[in-house]
Each structure stands twice: as C-alpha cells, then as structure tokens.
C-alpha cells in the first residue's frame, strides 16, 4: 500500500540529502510527571533529536528492562494515561510541527480505547508512527493495516533471531523505518556491538529500501557513533530514562541527550 509521506519519511529524506544519520530518543510519557515529561520532550529537538519515541505507560511491559519498567510505573503512579499521552503529543505539536513522534507501547490500551478511535485521535494529536511490540505480523489486520490507512507509519522490530524465513514476513507491511533490536533480551540489558550489528543491518537492507535504525544497548556518545556508522541511525532509551530517574534537571537531561546526538551525527 502506498501512503502519503509522513513526517518520518520527510525526516529521513532530509537526513539522507544531508548525509547524516538519524538520532532517535525514547522517553516514557508522564515520567516522572506530566509537566516535566512535556518539558523534556520539548527540549529534545534542540538537543539534536531527529525522531522522538514516546512510550505509552503500561502495567505489563514485557519487552522492557527494569529501567523502562520503572519509568512506566512512575508515570502510571503520577496519573498518566493513554489520553494524556495523546494530549502530550498535541501540546508538543503547538511548538514543533516537524519533528516526528512515534508512539511505542503495547496493544492492550489501544484495544481498550478502540482501534478506530485511537488512530483518529493519534493522527489529530500529530503522531506519525507506531511501534507496538506485542502485535506480530500475523495480526496486521488488527492495527498495522488500519494505521497505515489512517496515515500513520507502522514500524516493526527485527531481532537477532529474525531468520531469513521470518524476515520477509516482518517487513511486509512495515513503513517509516525498521527498528533493529541489537541484543537478545529486554531493553537496557546488554551493550550493542558493531561487529555483530553490521552484518545484521546489511542482511535487513538486502530485503528492504527502508532505513534501518538500531536500538537496545546504546548508552554512550561513542556507542551511538559506532552504531550509527553501520546503520541509518540509532535509538537511545534506557540511558536517557536513567537520567530522568536520577531527578536530573531538564537542562542536564538535554545536555546528555545532545552528547548522544552529537555522537550519532558524527558517524
């Protein structure tokens, strides 16, 4: 299915034209509270973030390590909901209409809201794409295909265990970019290695023209540069969320993010 270009497509076209790699930052919506989380997100583009991944707090985040689990718990304890996550995206759009937002989470809150209502509300809030980690390609009719019909990219994860037989199935209805999970296991569990990631990125690229972004296990400017140099960009989540967990100021968090973005952009 051909869909109109999203902010994600536009961003990657701009980066490609400039010969730059993408830096993607993940934060949990509502962590540590609604107000500070919004201030952090608003500070990300100026810190060099090309795409924002906004986590949807959920009670049972099976793909996430302890850092992201605790972030979700903090957000939920502070009263964050799916509606407030959408409101946060809409508030961000009042000051920034170009930086792509990808909502990342699990299917249950979306299913509970109703797929059609969620997609209409997400589009209206200025969301550009979805990463829903517990919906495999076999369930594409549930959300993936309706999302693309609504003008949202549906971004799929590929992992070290996604073999040659499985990969084409994973890529079939994917759009925006492919998110390669560099390590087996949950977020924040291990460090990515360029030696192991390089061949996997090349393998995925042999099956798709979409950008391949690598995440999980990237936690320093040096690692961001190493991984971005062999992919189309890199994602950092747990290392940023750790800064939030430590109670750092928005300015300090933005400075840390900028060091990571500078690393990725120097690749």
């Amino acid at each position: 299915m051909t869909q109109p270009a999203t902010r994600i497509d536009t961003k990657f076209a701009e980066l490609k034209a400039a010969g730059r790699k993408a830096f993607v930052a993940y934060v949990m919506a509502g962590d540590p509270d609604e107000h500070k989380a919004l201030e952090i997100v608003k500070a990300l583009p100026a810190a060099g973030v090309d795409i924002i991944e906004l986590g949807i707090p959920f009670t049972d985040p099976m793909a996430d390590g302890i850092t992201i689990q605790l972030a979700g718990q903090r957000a939920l304890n502070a009263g964050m909901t799916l509606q407030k996550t959408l409101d946060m995206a809409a508030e961000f759009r009042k000051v920034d209409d170009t930086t792509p937002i990808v909502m990342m989470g699990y299917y249950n809150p979306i299913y509970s809201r109703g797929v059609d209502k969620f997609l209409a509300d997400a589009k209206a809030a200025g969301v550009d794409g979805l990463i829903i980690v517990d919906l495999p390609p076999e369930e594409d009719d549930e959300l993936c295909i309706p999302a693309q019909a609504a003008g949202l990219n549906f971004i799929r994860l590929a992992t070290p265990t996604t073999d040659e037989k499985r990969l084409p199935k994973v890529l079939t209805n994917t759009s925006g970019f492919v998110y390669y999970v560099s390590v087996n296991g949950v977020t924040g569990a291990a460090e990515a290695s360029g030696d192991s990631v390089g061949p996997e990125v090349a393998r995925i690229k042999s099956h798709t023209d979409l950008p391949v972004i690598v995440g999980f296990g990237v936690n320093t400017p040096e690692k961001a540069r190493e991984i971005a140099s062999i992919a189309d960009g890199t994602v950092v989540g747990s290392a940023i969320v750790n800064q939030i967990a430590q109670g750092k100021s928005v300015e300090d968090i933005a400075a840390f993010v900028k060091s990571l973005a500078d690393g990725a952009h120097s690749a």
Side-chain angles (χ1 to χ4, degrees), residues 15-251:
L15 288 166
K16 186 174 184 180
R20 278 161 70 89
K21 301 302 180 77
F23 180 70
V24 183
Y26 170 96
V27 292
M28 178 67 73
D31 176 33
D33 59 64
E34 210 174 327
H35 173 73
K36 187 171 181 180
L38 178 59
E39 291 309 303
I40 292 167
V41 170
K42 284 180 176 178
L44 294 177
V49 173
D50 297 303
I51 298 171
I52 296 167
E53 277 184 16
L54 196 57
I56 306 168
F58 183 52
T59 51
D60 190 24
M62 62 186 185
D64 294 312
I66 189 67
T67 300
I68 306 293
Q69 285 183 33
L70 289 173
Q73 205 56 56
R74 288 192 297 271
L76 290 168
N77 290 344
M80 202 63 181
T81 62
L82 178 57
Q83 179 59 53
K84 288 182 177 179
T85 303
L86 291 165
D87 293 344
M88 191 172 160
E91 280 299 311
F92 174 79
R93 280 284 168 246
K94 291 178 181 178
V95 298
D96 185 317
D97 195 42
T98 55
T99 304
I101 298 174
V102 175
M103 287 181 72
M104 184 171 187
Y106 299 84
Y107 185 44
N108 186 281
I110 295 169
Y111 178 79
S112 298
R113 188 181 186 87
V115 167
D116 290 345
K117 177 171 173 48
F118 168 76
L119 291 173
D121 293 345
K123 184 71 176 171
V127 174
D128 305 291
L130 303 173
I131 300 174
I132 306 301
V133 296
D134 56 347
L135 274 183
E138 288 74 16
E139 307 294 335
D140 273 358
D141 288 341
E142 288 280 331
L143 182 62
C144 171
I145 290 169
Q148 306 211 95
L152 297 170
N153 289 129
F154 199 87
I155 295 140
R156 192 84 70 192
L157 304 179
T159 74
T161 57
T162 307
D163 60 22
E164 284 296 291
K165 184 178 178 186
R166 181 70 177 163
L167 187 58
K169 180 80 173 170
V170 167
L171 295 173
T172 297
N173 290 314
T174 300
S175 66
F177 60 93
V178 180
Y179 188 138
Y180 178 67
V181 176
S182 64
V183 294
N184 286 318
V186 295
T187 57
E191 192 168 274
S193 161
D195 291 342
S196 59
V197 169
E200 290 297 303
V201 169
R203 182 168 72 91
I204 295 166
K205 281 184 160 294
S206 72
H207 289 270
T208 182
D209 293 330
L210 291 170
V212 179
I213 304 299
V214 177
F216 286 47
V218 181
N219 48 27
T220 65
E222 295 74 25
K223 185 59 67 175
R225 182 175 195 271
E226 177 192 356
I227 297 301
S229 70
I230 51 181
D232 295 300
T234 190
V235 185
V236 178
S238 294
I240 297 169
V241 172
N242 265 328
Q243 298 280 309
I244 297 168
Q246 290 167 24
K248 299 281 183 72
S249 69
V250 174
E251 292 74 20

